[in-house]
Amino acid sequence: MTIQSGQDGQSPPNGLAAAGPAFDLVIFDLDGTLISAPRGGGRHVRVPGSGETLAVLRDSGARLALASLCGRGFLADGMERLGLSAEVDAGRCLDSPGCSDKAMMVADLLLEFDTRSAVVIGDTRGDGAAAWANGLPFVHFVGTGADPASVPGSDATIDRLVDLPRVLDRRPRRLRELWIELDRPSGLALVGPAGSGAGLVARDLARALAAVGVAATTAPRQALGGEADEVAERRVLEDLLEIDALVITHGPAAADGWPSDCLEAVLEATAPQALREVRVRSAVLGGAAGQEAALERSSLEAEHVARVLAASPPIRRLGTGSPLDLPDRR
């Protein structure tokens, strides 16, 4: 496949994906994560590595936000005296409208940034609960003294903030590995019901490949006309596959299936029912008009890519792993 983007810093041709961050939005806890009180007492200071970490994430294209169980004054101190206002895009605290707990703060930030591609970083069990209440992965930071075992089920644990970008990059790296494991198909479909996040995985795969110079484009199934007219869908797919780029389609699987003979691989995006309900509920908060679009952006962590559906080529089954990872092939 011709290398068309991602190596020379130039924008890709029209319709092709550009490289992007592992997650659109990175939400940090404040006290104990980005700032902490000195052991001998005194005013809070920045946690070592916080400035470098935020800079790397911003340079990748990610938006950054704070969610803290503090009042307006403490948040302002961190934002102004400690310089975070120049490094983060938004902050929420207990004085923020409609934010009586951290889960509500995270939900409000998802609405403000209009994304489900997000991850939460914090040092407490409450930070993890706020992430999972919104269907997001959680990275446990233990560099300020937290017990690594205090938040069971964390998707990753780090003791240095500077390690965070590398941990988050596991997602695009494993997406690229999945494409290689599937024998580098030129046509790939991700199918799944509302809330499964098939569209987001398709987008992230295209981004991950663009970052290493592989041209890719995504197309939602409704844009192909397939749900209404399978013949038209097949024609559009065949035309797309003529371009020198990976074509990734995504959307719900119709009762009569997908024209998989046009594609080299079809993956089913599945998610636990409870997680799908969280995503649906979160989308509803954005209003009925934005519900469908919000559902399509639902964050599907790679553990939920369960199996290849197409009988031809042969079905491939993929193991499950952390939401920050893609499954290992079995």
mmCIF file with all atom_site columns, all heavy atoms in Angstrom, residues 26-44:
data_model
loop_
_atom_site.group_PDB
_atom_site.id
_atom_site.type_symbol
_atom_site.label_atom_id
_atom_site.label_alt_id
_atom_site.label_comp_id
_atom_site.label_asym_id
_atom_site.label_entity_id
_atom_site.label_seq_id
_atom_site.pdbx_PDB_ins_code
_atom_site.Cartn_x
_atom_site.Cartn_y
_atom_site.Cartn_z
_atom_site.occupancy
_atom_site.B_iso_or_equiv
_atom_site.pdbx_formal_charge
_atom_site.auth_seq_id
_atom_site.auth_comp_id
_atom_site.auth_asym_id
_atom_site.auth_atom_id
_atom_site.pdbx_PDB_model_num
ATOM 1   N N   . VAL A 1 26 ? -8.090  13.997 27.708 1.00 0.00 ? 26 VAL A N   1
ATOM 2   C CA  . VAL A 1 26 ? -7.446  13.380 28.867 1.00 0.00 ? 26 VAL A CA  1
ATOM 3   C C   . VAL A 1 26 ? -7.857  14.190 30.097 1.00 0.00 ? 26 VAL A C   1
ATOM 4   O O   . VAL A 1 26 ? -7.587  15.386 30.181 1.00 0.00 ? 26 VAL A O   1
ATOM 5   C CB  . VAL A 1 26 ? -5.914  13.357 28.723 1.00 0.00 ? 26 VAL A CB  1
ATOM 6   C CG1 . VAL A 1 26 ? -5.275  12.636 29.913 1.00 0.00 ? 26 VAL A CG1 1
ATOM 7   C CG2 . VAL A 1 26 ? -5.509  12.676 27.418 1.00 0.00 ? 26 VAL A CG2 1
ATOM 8   N N   . ILE A 1 27 ? -8.535  13.518 31.030 1.00 0.00 ? 27 ILE A N   1
ATOM 9   C CA  . ILE A 1 27 ? -9.088  14.184 32.213 1.00 0.00 ? 27 ILE A CA  1
ATOM 10  C C   . ILE A 1 27 ? -8.258  13.805 33.435 1.00 0.00 ? 27 ILE A C   1
ATOM 11  O O   . ILE A 1 27 ? -8.118  12.621 33.765 1.00 0.00 ? 27 ILE A O   1
ATOM 12  C CB  . ILE A 1 27 ? -10.560 13.777 32.435 1.00 0.00 ? 27 ILE A CB  1
ATOM 13  C CG1 . ILE A 1 27 ? -11.392 14.120 31.194 1.00 0.00 ? 27 ILE A CG1 1
ATOM 14  C CG2 . ILE A 1 27 ? -11.130 14.457 33.680 1.00 0.00 ? 27 ILE A CG2 1
ATOM 15  C CD1 . ILE A 1 27 ? -12.817 13.573 31.250 1.00 0.00 ? 27 ILE A CD1 1
ATOM 16  N N   . PHE A 1 28 ? -7.695  14.815 34.099 1.00 0.00 ? 28 PHE A N   1
ATOM 17  C CA  . PHE A 1 28 ? -6.847  14.603 35.263 1.00 0.00 ? 28 PHE A CA  1
ATOM 18  C C   . PHE A 1 28 ? -7.561  14.980 36.552 1.00 0.00 ? 28 PHE A C   1
ATOM 19  O O   . PHE A 1 28 ? -8.268  16.007 36.613 1.00 0.00 ? 28 PHE A O   1
ATOM 20  C CB  . PHE A 1 28 ? -5.581  15.470 35.175 1.00 0.00 ? 28 PHE A CB  1
ATOM 21  C CG  . PHE A 1 28 ? -4.591  15.044 34.130 1.00 0.00 ? 28 PHE A CG  1
ATOM 22  C CD1 . PHE A 1 28 ? -4.683  15.538 32.836 1.00 0.00 ? 28 PHE A CD1 1
ATOM 23  C CD2 . PHE A 1 28 ? -3.555  14.183 34.439 1.00 0.00 ? 28 PHE A CD2 1
ATOM 24  C CE1 . PHE A 1 28 ? -3.755  15.168 31.872 1.00 0.00 ? 28 PHE A CE1 1
ATOM 25  C CE2 . PHE A 1 28 ? -2.634  13.803 33.486 1.00 0.00 ? 28 PHE A CE2 1
ATOM 26  C CZ  . PHE A 1 28 ? -2.734  14.302 32.192 1.00 0.00 ? 28 PHE A CZ  1
ATOM 27  N N   . ASP A 1 29 ? -7.348  14.176 37.585 1.00 0.00 ? 29 ASP A N   1
ATOM 28  C CA  . ASP A 1 29 ? -7.585  14.636 38.944 1.00 0.00 ? 29 ASP A CA  1
ATOM 29  C C   . ASP A 1 29 ? -6.538  15.704 39.260 1.00 0.00 ? 29 ASP A C   1
ATOM 30  O O   . ASP A 1 29 ? -5.493  15.769 38.604 1.00 0.00 ? 29 ASP A O   1
ATOM 31  C CB  . ASP A 1 29 ? -7.458  13.439 39.899 1.00 0.00 ? 29 ASP A CB  1
ATOM 32  C CG  . ASP A 1 29 ? -7.393  13.868 41.352 1.00 0.00 ? 29 ASP A CG  1
ATOM 33  O OD1 . ASP A 1 29 ? -8.327  14.556 41.810 1.00 0.00 ? 29 ASP A OD1 1
ATOM 34  O OD2 . ASP A 1 29 ? -6.395  13.524 42.018 1.00 0.00 ? 29 ASP A OD2 1
ATOM 35  N N   . LEU A 1 30 ? -6.805  16.542 40.261 1.00 0.00 ? 30 LEU A N   1
ATOM 36  C CA  . LEU A 1 30 ? -5.872  17.620 40.583 1.00 0.00 ? 30 LEU A CA  1
ATOM 37  C C   . LEU A 1 30 ? -4.970  17.252 41.761 1.00 0.00 ? 30 LEU A C   1
ATOM 38  O O   . LEU A 1 30 ? -3.793  16.957 41.585 1.00 0.00 ? 30 LEU A O   1
ATOM 39  C CB  . LEU A 1 30 ? -6.651  18.909 40.878 1.00 0.00 ? 30 LEU A CB  1
ATOM 40  C CG  . LEU A 1 30 ? -5.813  20.166 41.172 1.00 0.00 ? 30 LEU A CG  1
ATOM 41  C CD1 . LEU A 1 30 ? -4.865  20.478 40.026 1.00 0.00 ? 30 LEU A CD1 1
ATOM 42  C CD2 . LEU A 1 30 ? -6.737  21.351 41.471 1.00 0.00 ? 30 LEU A CD2 1
ATOM 43  N N   . ASP A 1 31 ? -5.516  17.244 42.979 1.00 0.00 ? 31 ASP A N   1
ATOM 44  C CA  . ASP A 1 31 ? -4.726  17.007 44.186 1.00 0.00 ? 31 ASP A CA  1
ATOM 45  C C   . ASP A 1 31 ? -4.302  15.544 44.263 1.00 0.00 ? 31 ASP A C   1
ATOM 46  O O   . ASP A 1 31 ? -5.130  14.641 44.273 1.00 0.00 ? 31 ASP A O   1
ATOM 47  C CB  . ASP A 1 31 ? -5.552  17.385 45.425 1.00 0.00 ? 31 ASP A CB  1
ATOM 48  C CG  . ASP A 1 31 ? -4.714  17.401 46.691 1.00 0.00 ? 31 ASP A CG  1
ATOM 49  O OD1 . ASP A 1 31 ? -3.469  17.345 46.597 1.00 0.00 ? 31 ASP A OD1 1
ATOM 50  O OD2 . ASP A 1 31 ? -5.303  17.465 47.797 1.00 0.00 ? 31 ASP A OD2 1
ATOM 51  N N   . GLY A 1 32 ? -3.001  15.314 44.289 1.00 0.00 ? 32 GLY A N   1
ATOM 52  C CA  . GLY A 1 32 ? -2.474  13.966 44.330 1.00 0.00 ? 32 GLY A CA  1
ATOM 53  C C   . GLY A 1 32 ? -2.117  13.429 42.964 1.00 0.00 ? 32 GLY A C   1
ATOM 54  O O   . GLY A 1 32 ? -1.544  12.333 42.859 1.00 0.00 ? 32 GLY A O   1
ATOM 55  N N   . THR A 1 33 ? -2.420  14.190 41.933 1.00 0.00 ? 33 THR A N   1
ATOM 56  C CA  . THR A 1 33 ? -2.116  13.746 40.568 1.00 0.00 ? 33 THR A CA  1
ATOM 57  C C   . THR A 1 33 ? -1.239  14.769 39.850 1.00 0.00 ? 33 THR A C   1
ATOM 58  O O   . THR A 1 33 ? -0.123  14.458 39.437 1.00 0.00 ? 33 THR A O   1
ATOM 59  C CB  . THR A 1 33 ? -3.405  13.483 39.774 1.00 0.00 ? 33 THR A CB  1
ATOM 60  O OG1 . THR A 1 33 ? -4.198  12.508 40.469 1.00 0.00 ? 33 THR A OG1 1
ATOM 61  C CG2 . THR A 1 33 ? -3.087  12.961 38.374 1.00 0.00 ? 33 THR A CG2 1
ATOM 62  N N   . LEU A 1 34 ? -1.741  15.989 39.698 1.00 0.00 ? 34 LEU A N   1
ATOM 63  C CA  . LEU A 1 34 ? -0.925  17.038 39.066 1.00 0.00 ? 34 LEU A CA  1
ATOM 64  C C   . LEU A 1 34 ? -0.246  17.941 40.082 1.00 0.00 ? 34 LEU A C   1
ATOM 65  O O   . LEU A 1 34 ? 0.781   18.550 39.793 1.00 0.00 ? 34 LEU A O   1
ATOM 66  C CB  . LEU A 1 34 ? -1.797  17.881 38.126 1.00 0.00 ? 34 LEU A CB  1
ATOM 67  C CG  . LEU A 1 34 ? -2.278  17.188 36.847 1.00 0.00 ? 34 LEU A CG  1
ATOM 68  C CD1 . LEU A 1 34 ? -3.114  18.157 36.012 1.00 0.00 ? 34 LEU A CD1 1
ATOM 69  C CD2 . LEU A 1 34 ? -1.104  16.661 36.024 1.00 0.00 ? 34 LEU A CD2 1
ATOM 70  N N   . ILE A 1 35 ? -0.848  18.059 41.272 1.00 0.00 ? 35 ILE A N   1
ATOM 71  C CA  . ILE A 1 35 ? -0.251  18.844 42.342 1.00 0.00 ? 35 ILE A CA  1
ATOM 72  C C   . ILE A 1 35 ? -0.326  18.039 43.637 1.00 0.00 ? 35 ILE A C   1
ATOM 73  O O   . ILE A 1 35 ? -1.122  17.122 43.769 1.00 0.00 ? 35 ILE A O   1
ATOM 74  C CB  . ILE A 1 35 ? -0.940  20.218 42.526 1.00 0.00 ? 35 ILE A CB  1
ATOM 75  C CG1 . ILE A 1 35 ? -2.366  20.038 43.064 1.00 0.00 ? 35 ILE A CG1 1
ATOM 76  C CG2 . ILE A 1 35 ? -0.956  20.988 41.212 1.00 0.00 ? 35 ILE A CG2 1
ATOM 77  C CD1 . ILE A 1 35 ? -3.062  21.353 43.401 1.00 0.00 ? 35 ILE A CD1 1
ATOM 78  N N   . SER A 1 36 ? 0.530   18.385 44.601 1.00 0.00 ? 36 SER A N   1
ATOM 79  C CA  . SER A 1 36 ? 0.494   17.696 45.895 1.00 0.00 ? 36 SER A CA  1
ATOM 80  C C   . SER A 1 36 ? 1.087   18.601 46.959 1.00 0.00 ? 36 SER A C   1
ATOM 81  O O   . SER A 1 36 ? 1.852   19.534 46.663 1.00 0.00 ? 36 SER A O   1
ATOM 82  C CB  . SER A 1 36 ? 1.258   16.376 45.838 1.00 0.00 ? 36 SER A CB  1
ATOM 83  O OG  . SER A 1 36 ? 2.637   16.600 45.596 1.00 0.00 ? 36 SER A OG  1
ATOM 84  N N   . ALA A 1 37 ? 0.743   18.329 48.216 1.00 0.00 ? 37 ALA A N   1
ATOM 85  C CA  . ALA A 1 37 ? 1.281   19.097 49.345 1.00 0.00 ? 37 ALA A CA  1
ATOM 86  C C   . ALA A 1 37 ? 2.623   18.513 49.755 1.00 0.00 ? 37 ALA A C   1
ATOM 87  O O   . ALA A 1 37 ? 2.779   17.290 49.821 1.00 0.00 ? 37 ALA A O   1
ATOM 88  C CB  . ALA A 1 37 ? 0.304   19.057 50.514 1.00 0.00 ? 37 ALA A CB  1
ATOM 89  N N   . PRO A 1 38 ? 3.626   19.359 50.016 1.00 0.00 ? 38 PRO A N   1
ATOM 90  C CA  . PRO A 1 38 ? 4.927   18.851 50.479 1.00 0.00 ? 38 PRO A CA  1
ATOM 91  C C   . PRO A 1 38 ? 4.775   18.067 51.776 1.00 0.00 ? 38 PRO A C   1
ATOM 92  O O   . PRO A 1 38 ? 3.898   18.353 52.586 1.00 0.00 ? 38 PRO A O   1
ATOM 93  C CB  . PRO A 1 38 ? 5.749   20.130 50.693 1.00 0.00 ? 38 PRO A CB  1
ATOM 94  C CG  . PRO A 1 38 ? 5.067   21.172 49.867 1.00 0.00 ? 38 PRO A CG  1
ATOM 95  C CD  . PRO A 1 38 ? 3.614   20.821 49.888 1.00 0.00 ? 38 PRO A CD  1
ATOM 96  N N   . ARG A 1 39 ? 5.614   17.062 51.974 1.00 0.00 ? 39 ARG A N   1
ATOM 97  C CA  . ARG A 1 39 ? 5.506   16.229 53.172 1.00 0.00 ? 39 ARG A CA  1
ATOM 98  C C   . ARG A 1 39 ? 5.692   17.046 54.447 1.00 0.00 ? 39 ARG A C   1
ATOM 99  O O   . ARG A 1 39 ? 5.114   16.732 55.483 1.00 0.00 ? 39 ARG A O   1
ATOM 100 C CB  . ARG A 1 39 ? 6.535   15.109 53.123 1.00 0.00 ? 39 ARG A CB  1
ATOM 101 C CG  . ARG A 1 39 ? 6.239   14.069 52.050 1.00 0.00 ? 39 ARG A CG  1
ATOM 102 C CD  . ARG A 1 39 ? 7.152   12.881 52.150 1.00 0.00 ? 39 ARG A CD  1
ATOM 103 N NE  . ARG A 1 39 ? 6.813   11.851 51.171 1.00 0.00 ? 39 ARG A NE  1
ATOM 104 C CZ  . ARG A 1 39 ? 7.444   10.700 51.064 1.00 0.00 ? 39 ARG A CZ  1
ATOM 105 N NH1 . ARG A 1 39 ? 8.472   10.422 51.865 1.00 0.00 ? 39 ARG A NH1 1
ATOM 106 N NH2 . ARG A 1 39 ? 7.064   9.813  50.165 1.00 0.00 ? 39 ARG A NH2 1
ATOM 107 N N   . GLY A 1 40 ? 6.495   18.055 54.387 1.00 0.00 ? 40 GLY A N   1
ATOM 108 C CA  . GLY A 1 40 ? 6.732   18.873 55.568 1.00 0.00 ? 40 GLY A CA  1
ATOM 109 C C   . GLY A 1 40 ? 5.680   19.942 55.787 1.00 0.00 ? 40 GLY A C   1
ATOM 110 O O   . GLY A 1 40 ? 5.787   20.750 56.715 1.00 0.00 ? 40 GLY A O   1
ATOM 111 N N   . GLY A 1 41 ? 4.659   19.934 54.942 1.00 0.00 ? 41 GLY A N   1
ATOM 112 C CA  . GLY A 1 41 ? 3.620   20.943 55.037 1.00 0.00 ? 41 GLY A CA  1
ATOM 113 C C   . GLY A 1 41 ? 3.884   22.105 54.090 1.00 0.00 ? 41 GLY A C   1
ATOM 114 O O   . GLY A 1 41 ? 4.934   22.211 53.464 1.00 0.00 ? 41 GLY A O   1
ATOM 115 N N   . GLY A 1 42 ? 2.928   22.997 54.003 1.00 0.00 ? 42 GLY A N   1
ATOM 116 C CA  . GLY A 1 42 ? 3.055   24.151 53.129 1.00 0.00 ? 42 GLY A CA  1
ATOM 117 C C   . GLY A 1 42 ? 2.106   24.086 51.952 1.00 0.00 ? 42 GLY A C   1
ATOM 118 O O   . GLY A 1 42 ? 1.272   23.176 51.841 1.00 0.00 ? 42 GLY A O   1
ATOM 119 N N   . ARG A 1 43 ? 2.216   25.044 51.061 1.00 0.00 ? 43 ARG A N   1
ATOM 120 C CA  . ARG A 1 43 ? 1.316   25.131 49.917 1.00 0.00 ? 43 ARG A CA  1
ATOM 121 C C   . ARG A 1 43 ? 1.620   24.046 48.885 1.00 0.00 ? 43 ARG A C   1
ATOM 122 O O   . ARG A 1 43 ? 2.748   23.563 48.776 1.00 0.00 ? 43 ARG A O   1
ATOM 123 C CB  . ARG A 1 43 ? 1.432   26.516 49.277 1.00 0.00 ? 43 ARG A CB  1
ATOM 124 C CG  . ARG A 1 43 ? 1.168   27.661 50.248 1.00 0.00 ? 43 ARG A CG  1
ATOM 125 C CD  . ARG A 1 43 ? 1.319   28.995 49.579 1.00 0.00 ? 43 ARG A CD  1
ATOM 126 N NE  . ARG A 1 43 ? 0.141   29.326 48.793 1.00 0.00 ? 43 ARG A NE  1
ATOM 127 C CZ  . ARG A 1 43 ? 0.029   30.439 48.062 1.00 0.00 ? 43 ARG A CZ  1
ATOM 128 N NH1 . ARG A 1 43 ? 1.036   31.314 48.024 1.00 0.00 ? 43 ARG A NH1 1
ATOM 129 N NH2 . ARG A 1 43 ? -1.072  30.676 47.391 1.00 0.00 ? 43 ARG A NH2 1
ATOM 130 N N   . HIS A 1 44 ? 0.599   23.714 48.141 1.00 0.00 ? 44 HIS A N   1
ATOM 131 C CA  . HIS A 1 44 ? 0.748   22.672 47.124 1.00 0.00 ? 44 HIS A CA  1
ATOM 132 C C   . HIS A 1 44 ? 1.752   23.095 46.051 1.00 0.00 ? 44 HIS A C   1
ATOM 133 O O   . HIS A 1 44 ? 1.913   24.287 45.748 1.00 0.00 ? 44 HIS A O   1
ATOM 134 C CB  . HIS A 1 44 ? -0.596  22.378 46.464 1.00 0.00 ? 44 HIS A CB  1
ATOM 135 C CG  . HIS A 1 44 ? -1.484  21.489 47.282 1.00 0.00 ? 44 HIS A CG  1
ATOM 136 N ND1 . HIS A 1 44 ? -2.012  21.872 48.489 1.00 0.00 ? 44 HIS A ND1 1
ATOM 137 C CD2 . HIS A 1 44 ? -1.928  20.209 47.049 1.00 0.00 ? 44 HIS A CD2 1
ATOM 138 C CE1 . HIS A 1 44 ? -2.753  20.888 48.972 1.00 0.00 ? 44 HIS A CE1 1
ATOM 139 N NE2 . HIS A 1 44 ? -2.718  19.874 48.123 1.00 0.00 ? 44 HIS A NE2 1
#
